[in-house]
Amino acid sequence: MRLTALDEAAETIGLRKGQGVAEARAMYPKLDVIEEDLTADRRLLDGIADWCDRYTPLVALDGSDGLFLDITGSSHLFGGEQALLKDILLRLFQMGIDARGAISSAPGLSWAASRFGGGGVIAEEDMEHVLAPLPVASLRLEEQTVVALQKLGLKQIGDLILAPRAPLARRFGAKLLLRLDQALGRDEEPVSPRRPVASLSAERRLIDPIQAEEDILYLTGQIALSLKTSLEERGAGGRAFELMLFRVDGRVFRIAAGTSQPLRDPKRIAGLFSERLQAVHDDLDAGYGFEILRLNVMRYEAFDTPQEDFDGARQKDISLAGFVDRVSARLGADCLQSFQLCESHVPERAVATNPAIHALTPDRKPAAGVFPWSRSERPLRLFRRPELVEVSLAEVPEGPPQSFHWRRVTHRVSRSQGPERLAMEWWIDGADAQSRDYFRLEDDSGHRFWLYREGLYGQLPSPRWFMHGIFA
Amino acid sequence: MVQTPMTRERLFALREEVARLEGSSVAAARQEALAAESGHSRKAEDQRFPLGIAALDHALEGGLPLNGMSEIRSQAMRDATAATGFALALAALLQRKSEEDRSPVLWISDTVTSMETGIPYALGLADFGLKPERFLHAAPRGLEEALWLAETAVESGAFSVSILEVKGNPAHFGLTESRRLGLRAKAAGRPLLIVRQSGEEEASSAPFRFLVEPAPATSRFLPDRSMLGGSIGNPVFRLTLEKSRNPAPVSLLLEWNPHDRQFLPAREPEHARSARKLPAHSGPRLPAPANRPDRPQEVGPVLALDRAS
C-alpha cells in the first residue's frame, strides 16, 4: 500500500506521495491512514462542480482533482476576475477545501499556473512570462515525455519555447507542441461542460436562505416571470425546464420537468414544479435553506400565440396539456402513455406506446388510425407476453382446439373462428421463425379468447399453443 | 295527520337536505314539484346519459350519471375483460356523444390486473368502437398514485370519461376515498367509472353499481339477415344492476354493437350454461374457522354492506 494523498500536517513532517505505508508508519507510528475511496472523491468533485455552477454554467471536470470553469462573460457579475477568484477560493476554503486557482485566457496556462505556479489572474501580455519558469511537467504531458525532456536538459517551459519546433515535433510528436501552443493561448482549446448548457436561465440570489416549499414555488413563479420576456422575444416557449437549488452548505439540487406543449406562463411553470416537489419530496433536504434559485430552460420551441375562441375547445386542449404535464412531473413521463400504430402485422408490434408528454402537441394531433391491411377482430386486452396454454385436443392439421387448459382451468370451446395465419417478420425474427395461426374462441361460459398455434402439426418442433389476448 | 305549518316547513327542509346529499333525481323532481307549487321552478341539476335500453334507463332514473361516479364490478379475474368491455362500451358511447369536442378517454390501469389480463390493446379498442388516438393509458405504480390520477383527471375536465381500474377491495380504497372521488366528480361535472376487478360488494358512494359477467356472443349476420351458425359476433354482457334506488336488482343481457356504437337487448342463449356458479347444496354454509370464530351471519335484508377489505 502506498500513500496517494497527504494533508498539510503530513506534508510538513516530510512524507511524500508514493511512499510505502509501512515505511511511513515506521517513521511516524501515530500516522492515521485512510484507504483511498475513488468513488467518494469523484462524488466530492462532482459536488464541487455542481456548486461552481453558481459562477458559470460551463463547468468541466479535469481529471480526478481539478475543474475548469469557463467564465467568459460572467466575471463582471462578481466584480471582476480578481474578485471572482478570491470569492471562489475563499468560499471553498470556508467549506474546508484546500483549493488553488488561476485565471487566464488559456485553459492550459491556468492548469499549469494553478498546479505548479502561484495561481492568480494572469493578464494576456504576461502569459509567456508566467509560463517560462514552470517545469515541463506542467504542460499536461505523459510521464515518459517529461522524463525524456528532462534528460535532454529541457527542464523548464522557457527552454521549450526557445527551442526549434521542427526537431521537437520529430522527436516527441505533435502532442508536445500542441500542449505548448495551448498553454500559450496560440491554439484554441475548448472546455466541454459536464452538463448541457441551458438555452435560457434566470436566477435569484437570496440574502436570507429559504426552506419552505411555498417560498420555493413562489420564487420559481417570480423567476419564471422574468424569463417570460426573454421567451417572448424569441417567440418561444420552454419544453424542458430545470430548477436548480443551491443549498447554503454547497449541495446543489436539480429538479427537471418537461411539458407537452411549449410553455411560458409563469403560473403553469411554477405549478409544474409544485408537482415535481411533491414527487421528490423525500429526496429534497432543505437543511439550512437554499440561497440561490435558478430556473433553466433546457429546450424551447416555437410558441404560437393561440387565438382564443368562444366554444372553449381550446380551453380543453390546455386543460389536457396541463393534466399531462402535472402527471408527468409527478409520476414520471412513462406513467401516462398514448398508443401509436406502427406498420407491422405482428400484433405485439402493431402498437407502440409513447409517453403522452411527447405525443401531445397542439397542432399535430395524432394521426387518425388507418388500418391498411385486412384482418380479423383484435382482442380488447393483449398480454405483454403470450402465455403457454395446454391443448389436449385440436383438429389436425389446422383446426381450433376442442378444449384447453389455462391457469388451472379447463375451458371447453363452444365456438371458434379462424385460423388467421400470420407469418413472422423475417427481417426481424429470421427466416426460420414459425408462423402463427390465430383463433378466436368462445368457451361455454361466454369468455372469449385469442389463442394462437406456433408452428404446424406434422413438423418439428411440434407446435405450441399460446394465449395472446382476451376479448370482451 | 295534522301538520302545522312549522312542521311542514321543517319536513320540506329536511327532504331538501336529504335530496341534496343524495343527489337523487326523484327527490329533485319532488322538490321541483314543490317549488313549482310555491311559485319558482328549479332546473334539475343532474345530467343523465341514456344508454338506449328502456328497462335499464328506467332503473338508472334516466341514464348513467354524467356528473358522478359509477361502479362496475366483476366477480372473478377471469371475468375482468367483460367488465373492461362494458366500461369501454360506455366510454365509446360517451366519446360518440362528445364527438365534436374530441376529448380523450383516460384508462387508469391496475398493475396486477394488467399482468393477469393484459393491457388495453389499441387495435382491439378500434375494433370495439373507440378511437385509439383519443385514448390515454396510465400505469400508476400503486393505489395512492391511481387515486391521485383519477382525482386530477376528473378535476381537469379534459376527459370525456375517466376509468379507474381497481383490483379487489383494497383497504385504502374504502368509503372515505370513494366518497372523496365521488364529490370531486360531482363538483367537476365529469363522469368517472370505477372498474373493480374480482371484487366483493362493498359500501361505496357510487349511486350505481353494475355487476358484469360474460355471456355467449351473438352470431354473425349473413347478408340475407340469417345467422351464421358457430360464428362469434358482437359481444354480450350479462349485466346486473346491483345497487340503485330500485329495491329489486335488474338483470339483463346486453349486446354491444361496436360498429354502430350502441347497446342492444340480447336474448337469453339456449345452449350456454350460466357463468354464475351456484353452490351444490342450498342449505346454510357451515363456518370454517381457522383461528377465530366466523362472523355472525346477518339476519334480515342487507341495509349496509360491510367493508370487504
Side-chain angles (χ1 to χ4, degrees):
Chain A
M1 292 216 289
R2 298 198 165 269
L3 300 179
T4 55
L6 302 163
D7 70 350
E8 260 174 65
E11 263 173 4
T12 48
I13 57 175
L15 292 176
R16 287 171 287 107
K17 274 191 203 173
Q19 212 168 16
V21 171
E23 188 190 341
R25 277 253 166 81
M27 291 161 73
Y28 303 98
K30 280 190 194 162
L31 200 67
D32 192 8
V33 181
I34 300 161
E35 207 169 318
E36 185 177 31
D37 184 352
L38 286 175
T39 51
D41 287 351
R42 177 79 194 188
R43 252 195 329 269
L44 177 70
L45 192 66
D46 271 333
I48 299 174
D50 269 341
W51 177 84
C52 283
D53 259 359
R54 66 178 59 209
Y55 298 107
T56 166
L58 294 154
V59 179
L61 294 181
D62 165 40
S64 62
D65 57 353
L67 293 175
F68 279 124
L69 270 67
D70 188 346
I71 55 162
T72 313
S74 72
S75 59
H76 70 277
L77 300 171
F78 300 89
E81 292 177 349
Q82 199 79 49
L84 173 69
L85 185 64
K86 202 175 149 200
D87 188 60
I88 296 180
L89 295 180
L90 182 68
R91 278 173 190 267
L92 284 174
F93 178 75
Q94 282 166 347
M95 286 197 277
I97 293 161
D98 176 22
R100 269 169 284 173
I103 293 179
S104 76
S105 45
L109 177 58
S110 294
W111 195 91
S114 58
R115 282 168 198 261
F116 292 88
V121 179
I122 300 160
E124 194 92 28
E125 59 272 13
D126 294 341
M127 285 172 76
E128 209 162 314
H129 183 65
V130 170
L131 200 60
L134 297 178
V136 283
S138 56
L139 277 183
R140 293 179 288 168
L141 298 169
E142 281 109 44
E143 189 69 41
Q144 60 198 62
T145 318
V146 173
V147 172
L149 283 169
Q150 280 173 342
K151 270 188 193 159
L152 290 179
L154 298 166
K155 296 204 165 125
Q156 291 179 342
I157 297 177
D159 304 337
L160 283 176
I161 296 173
L162 295 177
R165 290 172 69 89
L168 277 181
R170 208 159 50 235
R171 172 103 195 227
F172 298 102
K175 180 99 183 270
L176 174 64
L177 290 179
L178 177 73
R179 287 300 192 200
L180 187 63
D181 287 347
Q182 280 176 347
L184 286 168
R186 291 180 195 150
D187 212 336
E188 198 68 28
E189 185 183 358
V191 170
S192 58
R194 52 195 275 279
R195 286 184 173 275
V197 179
S199 323
L200 279 172
S201 72
E203 65 179 27
R204 284 278 185 289
R205 280 165 195 262
L206 310 168
I207 294 175
D208 209 12
I210 53 167
Q211 287 166 311
E213 218 169 278
E214 306 87 77
D215 295 345
I216 297 175
L217 289 177
Y218 173 74
L219 264 182
T220 309
Q222 293 291 308
I223 301 172
L225 196 63
S226 60
L227 271 180
K228 195 180 173 196
T229 44
S230 347
L231 282 170
E232 272 167 359
E233 275 167 19
R234 288 168 170 76
R239 283 292 302 272
F241 293 92
E242 188 184 55
L243 181 67
M244 291 176 71
L245 299 166
F246 292 77
R247 209 165 67 180
V248 177
D249 61 355
R251 182 95 193 266
V252 179
F253 294 92
R254 291 165 190 271
I255 301 165
T259 69
S260 56
Q261 291 177 346
L263 194 65
R264 61 163 79 135
D265 179 16
K267 221 187 244 166
R268 282 183 64 193
I269 295 173
L272 217 59
F273 283 103
S274 128
E275 298 300 336
R276 286 296 293 147
L277 287 180
Q278 289 289 324
V280 299
H281 189 263
D282 294 336
D283 299 327
L284 190 73
D285 179 12
Y288 291 108
F290 301 106
E291 54 178 348
I292 304 177
L293 268 78
R294 181 185 295 168
L295 184 65
N296 289 337
V297 181
M298 303 309 284
R299 191 155 50 85
Y300 62 77
E301 277 174 16
F303 183 93
D304 45 341
T305 316
Q307 170 115 29
E308 296 297 331
D309 48 12
F310 290 113
D311 67 352
R314 165 88 203 152
Q315 195 54 43
K316 270 248 162 74
D317 280 352
I318 290 178
S319 60
L320 179 61
F323 172 76
V324 170
D325 291 351
R326 281 187 75 184
V327 172
S328 306
R330 184 157 173 156
L331 307 179
D334 288 337
C335 177
L336 202 62
Q337 289 172 328
S338 65
F339 296 121
Q340 199 179 10
L341 302 174
C342 305
E343 286 195 1
S344 172
H345 61 270
V346 178
E348 59 266 33
R349 290 186 198 136
V351 174
T353 53
N354 207 359
I357 193 164
H358 302 312
L360 200 82
T361 39
D363 35 79
R364 194 178 56 85
K365 283 273 172 207
V370 274
F371 312 111
W373 68 94
S374 72
R375 57 180 177 81
S376 69
E377 203 174 313
R378 294 287 185 251
L380 206 52
R381 302 188 80 141
L382 194 78
F383 288 109
R384 279 181 212 277
R385 241 164 249 276
E387 292 187 8
L388 200 61
V389 170
E390 270 178 56
V391 170
S392 45
L393 199 62
E395 281 174 33
V396 172
E398 23 203 55
Q402 299 297 312
S403 74
F404 62 92
H405 195 74
W406 178 57
R407 289 185 178 167
R408 293 182 284 176
V409 176
T410 304
H411 297 269
R412 236 167 252 292
V413 177
S414 60
R415 286 188 279 177
S416 68
Q417 268 181 11
E420 179 190 8
R421 177 163 298 178
L422 297 180
M424 296 308 280
E425 293 168 327
W426 56 262
W427 57 97
I428 296 173
D429 305 292
D432 52 352
Q434 291 182 311
S435 64
R436 296 172 176 179
D437 281 3
Y438 277 91
F439 291 92
R440 193 177 172 201
L441 305 175
E442 185 179 271
D443 75 356
D444 50 5
S445 58
H447 300 98
R448 287 169 285 278
F449 304 100
W450 208 38
L451 257 73
Y452 72 84
R453 188 191 64 232
E454 193 182 74
L456 301 166
Y457 280 107
Q459 283 184 11
L460 285 175
S462 51
R464 292 185 300 170
W465 289 84
F466 289 93
M467 172 76 68
H468 203 175
I470 306 181
F471 290 94
Chain B
M1 203 169 98
V2 184
Q3 283 183 330
T4 62
M6 268 309 253
T7 48
R8 212 180 137 112
E9 190 86 341
R10 280 189 65 187
L11 208 60
F12 282 162
L14 281 173
R15 265 194 200 139
E16 212 166 300
E17 184 69 21
V18 168
R20 195 181 60 75
L21 283 176
E22 291 184 334
S24 77
S25 62
V26 174
R30 192 179 301 149
Q31 214 176 357
E32 247 175 47
L34 284 170
E37 216 172 86
S38 59
H40 60 92
S41 69
R42 197 184 296 173
K43 211 165 172 283
E45 287 170 11
D46 277 29
Q47 299 171 308
R48 292 303 169 108
F49 179 64
L51 303 182
I53 304 289
L56 194 60
D57 283 341
H58 178 69
L60 290 172
E61 298 159 20
L64 192 77
L66 276 182
N67 56 347
M69 191 168 84
S70 313
E71 190 171 322
I72 296 163
R73 180 173 83 90
S74 66
Q75 269 180 332
M77 217 23 138
R78 61 174 175 277
D79 298 346
T81 324
T84 308
F86 182 63
L88 287 177
L90 292 177
L93 276 177
L94 287 165
Q95 210 173 43
R96 187 180 70 163
K97 183 184 131 288
S98 62
E99 197 86 289
E100 64 286 343
D101 71 356
R102 314 201 301 177
S103 34
V105 172
L106 176 70
W107 179 273
I108 304 165
S109 69
D110 169 68
T111 320
V112 178
T113 316
S114 297
M115 285 194 287
E116 291 225 0
T117 61
I119 60 166
Y121 181 53
L123 290 176
L125 294 175
D127 289 341
F128 203 68
L130 280 153
K131 294 206 160 42
E133 67 272 13
R134 285 202 266 133
F135 188 91
L136 285 182
H137 176 247
R141 280 177 292 260
L143 183 69
E144 203 176 301
E145 290 187 2
L147 290 176
W148 179 81
L149 261 172
E151 210 177 296
T152 317
V154 165
E155 264 181 349
S156 77
F159 296 98
S160 58
V161 58
S162 319
I163 306 170
L164 171 65
E165 188 178 44
V166 197
K167 181 186 177 292
N169 304 77
H172 293 292
F173 186 47
L175 186 57
T176 322
E177 287 81 5
S178 86
R179 185 155 176 74
R180 182 182 163 121
L181 274 182
L183 286 174
R184 283 290 149 99
K186 190 167 272 280
R190 287 277 146 182
L192 171 68
L193 297 178
I194 308 285
V195 179
R196 197 186 288 280
Q197 308 287 20
S198 84
E200 298 293 317
E201 290 176 88
E202 195 182 35
S204 116
S205 82
F208 300 109
R209 183 177 54 239
F210 303 94
L211 172 68
V212 187
E213 289 161 306
T218 58
S219 299
R220 282 193 194 282
F221 281 109
L222 290 175
D224 59 347
R225 307 298 295 164
S226 64
M227 294 281 199
L228 176 66
S231 63
I232 306 175
N234 293 336
V236 175
F237 309 108
R238 186 184 301 279
L239 192 72
T240 310
L241 185 59
E242 283 183 328
K243 183 184 174 188
S244 69
R245 238 169 268 291
N246 231 337
V250 180
S251 186
L252 71 168
L253 283 174
L254 271 190
E255 173 192 343
W256 169 246
N257 186 331
H259 189 254
D260 299 339
R261 288 195 267 175
Q262 60 174 340
F263 282 117
L264 301 168
R267 278 180 301 122
E268 190 74 36
E270 314 84 31
H271 61 279
R273 73 180 154 89
S274 164
R276 206 193 289 257
K277 304 273 187 299
L278 294 169
H281 306 288
S282 59
R285 230 165 15 98
L286 284 175
N291 53 2
R292 63 196 166 102
D294 193 19
R295 273 192 306 204
Q297 298 292 320
E298 299 277 341
V299 183
V302 181
L303 290 180
L305 294 165
D306 274 340
R307 289 204 63 167
S309 47

